[in-house]
């Protein structure tokens, strides 16, 4: 079964073609980072307009890469939410239009389910069940995943998402939006021990996170010192060390509490090299294994949407869904 996946929930337009047995056959992506950098964050109206410009050419590119045509597509999948309403509507409209033109079923996919299942595109591929750490610009969650569609929320951030904290701290250090990758590059030349930033909620019971206090601590630190190159690198390294400490501690606790032996990391912050290295080391020490999607599939993309639809709907496909988007949509509500 061949699935065309369309992702337009935020600031990346992604289209990919995925076969339920062969995996990703073609993928095309356009990042709007340059468009929004000028404003220091995503401007929803500009995002929607750019998705409109990009989506059809990207669909053509993904099909050409796969050596297929629209007539070969069995199922059309689009990100139904959560995300920016106007941006989501672009993908929903394209999917609905293609569905009508080709007489193919159309399904809406939960963006986080896409992230959650994307490590299954990696080699080696994790078996169920596993603990999933979802760390993106908008979400920080730990889920217990028993199978496709069987997700239980173990804990989540009570304020900022980890990626949001990365981006805000990066902006404080004068790095362009989205600052996560730039901050982690700067951190490589800094001293992670110079500033003992708080590790919020690290010792508390439960699996919730909090990152807004950490961001404020970084802000106060920058205000107290001369913001030279050394300071910027040391703040970046100390901030990253604090985030990695908290994420690693909670992941290990989640493995312990669920008795599961596999940890899967997904979402943009999952591309962070320090986090990857730390989780690999700590999980191995605890007798567990860690799975990451390839870095290009950590951030938003069409492949994870096509793949989640292929797993969830299987050959045969469902009937056509309503044309709708859900800008706010709780992942736990997918539980079957
Ligand atoms: O999953 P994603 O592409 O979009 C959302 O659904 O939010 O995640 C984007 C987030 C941004 O906050 C970005 O700064 C962060 O992931 N990110 C990183 C890295 N690469 C992306 N954060 C830390 N280190 C990285 N290497
Ligand atoms: Zn995402």
């Amino acid at each position: 079964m061949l699935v065309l996946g369309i992702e337009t929930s935020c600031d990346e337009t992604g289209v990919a073609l995925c076969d339920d047995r062969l995996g990703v056959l073609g993928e095309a992506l356009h990042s709007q980072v340059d468009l929004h950098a000028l404003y220091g964050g995503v401007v929803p109206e500009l995002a929607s307009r750019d998705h409109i410009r990009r989506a059809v050419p990207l669909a053509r590119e993904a099909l050409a890469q796969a050596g297929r045509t629209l007539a070969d597509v069995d199922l059309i999948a689009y990100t139904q939410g959560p995300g920016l309403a106007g941006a989501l509507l672009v993908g929903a409209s394209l999917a609905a239009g293609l569905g009508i033109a080709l007489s193919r079923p159309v399904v809406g996919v939960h963006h986080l389910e896409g992230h959650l299942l994307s490590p299954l595109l990696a080699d080696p591929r994790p078996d169920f069940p596993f603990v999933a750490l979802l760390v993106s610009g908008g979400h920080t969650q730990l889920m217990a995943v028993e199978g496709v569609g069987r997700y239980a929320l173990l804990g989540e951030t009570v304020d900022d998402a980890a990626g949001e904290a990365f981006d805000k701290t990066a902006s404080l250090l004068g790095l362009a939006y989205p600052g996560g990758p730039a901050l982690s590059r700067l951190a490589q030349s800094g001293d992670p021990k110079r500033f003992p930033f708080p590790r919020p909620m690290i010792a508390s019971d439960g699996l919730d996170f909090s990152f807004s206090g950490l961001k404020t601590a970084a802000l106060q630190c920058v205000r107290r010192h001369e913001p030279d190159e050394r300071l910027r690198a040391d703040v970046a390294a100390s901030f990253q060390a604090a985030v990695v400490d908290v994420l690693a501690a909670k992941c290990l606790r989640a493995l312990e509490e669920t008795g599961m032996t596999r940890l899967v990391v997904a979402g943009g912050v999952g591309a962070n090299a320090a986090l990857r290295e730390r989780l690999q080391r700590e999980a191995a020490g605890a007798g567990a294994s860690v799975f990451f999607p390839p870095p290009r599939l950590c951030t938003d993309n069409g492949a994870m949407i096509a793949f989640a639809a292929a797993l969830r709907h299987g050959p045969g496909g469902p009937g056509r869904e309503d044309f709708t988007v859900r800008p706010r949509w709780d992942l736990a509500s997918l539980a079957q």
Side-chain angles (χ1 to χ4, degrees):
M1 185 181 64
L2 206 57
V3 185
L4 183 75
I6 304 166
E7 155 65 37
T8 64
S9 67
C10 189
D11 59 349
E12 258 117 14
T13 322
V15 184
L17 207 62
C18 195
D19 181 277
D20 61 328
R21 286 167 302 112
L22 305 175
V24 183
L25 301 184
E27 50 185 322
L29 186 76
H30 175 76
S31 165
Q32 301 178 352
V33 160
D34 294 344
L35 181 70
H36 301 296
L38 194 62
Y39 306 96
V42 178
V43 183
E45 176 64 23
L46 295 183
S48 311
R49 292 186 209 176
D50 200 60
H51 286 307
I52 292 173
R53 274 193 292 270
R54 309 283 174 182
V56 171
L58 288 172
R60 289 207 174 99
E61 194 181 322
L63 284 162
Q65 210 182 82
R68 308 293 175 99
T69 68
L70 278 177
D72 300 322
V73 173
D74 299 304
L75 176 69
I76 297 146
Y78 68 98
T79 303
Q80 195 170 58
L84 303 170
L88 290 166
L89 280 166
V90 178
S93 313
L94 177 59
L98 286 172
I100 292 165
L102 303 168
S103 297
R104 297 290 193 279
V106 177
V107 290
V109 172
H110 195 295
H111 180 81
L112 293 181
E113 184 173 36
H115 277 306
L116 194 68
L117 299 175
S118 63
L120 299 181
L121 282 166
D123 186 19
R125 168 186 172 141
D127 289 325
F128 295 112
F130 53 74
V131 168
L133 172 69
L134 273 178
V135 266
S136 70
H139 294 85
T140 303
Q141 298 186 333
L142 275 164
M143 312 279 305
V145 179
E146 299 281 350
V148 177
R150 294 165 61 205
Y151 318 126
L153 183 67
L154 299 171
E156 64 185 332
T157 182
V158 296
D159 42 54
D160 290 355
E164 189 181 352
F166 262 101
D167 293 342
K168 287 179 178 166
T169 305
S171 148
L172 170 78
L173 296 174
L175 301 167
Y177 170 86
L183 187 147
S184 79
R185 273 194 301 277
L186 183 60
Q188 282 171 5
S189 55
D191 175 4
K193 297 210 170 77
R194 176 164 169 202
F195 300 112
F197 288 142
R199 270 65 173 158
M201 298 176 81
I202 198 165
S204 65
D205 285 348
L207 294 166
D208 284 340
F209 305 87
S210 165
F211 292 105
S212 74
L214 172 57
K215 180 194 64 192
T216 309
L219 173 67
Q220 286 166 347
C221 174
V222 169
R223 282 196 182 140
R224 274 199 309 270
H225 295 79
E226 188 60 36
D228 57 14
E229 269 313 293
R230 180 81 265 134
L231 177 94
R232 290 172 69 247
D234 289 347
V235 168
S238 302
F239 167 84
Q240 179 173 270
V243 176
V244 169
D245 269 1
V246 173
L247 291 175
K250 297 277 173 170
C251 284
L252 282 217
R253 188 176 299 162
L255 288 169
E256 206 175 288
E257 286 186 8
T258 56
M260 292 180 183
T261 55
R262 284 175 286 267
L263 173 68
V264 153
V265 183
V269 183
N272 184 276
L275 177 65
R276 286 179 166 238
E277 192 257 322
R278 175 70 168 276
L279 288 176
Q280 295 277 19
R281 193 156 32 92
E282 296 224 353
S289 23
V290 193
F291 299 82
F292 300 96
R296 74 172 205 291
L297 295 181
C298 278
T299 45
D300 293 349
N301 63 86
M304 68 182 191
I305 301 305
F307 183 64
L311 287 185
R312 190 173 254 282
H313 300 290
R320 183 174 300 139
E321 277 206 357
D322 287 345
F323 172 78
T324 178
V325 295
R326 305 189 205 191
R328 290 174 175 274
W329 189 6
D330 183 6
L331 180 60
S333 71
L334 296 184
Q336 290 168 342

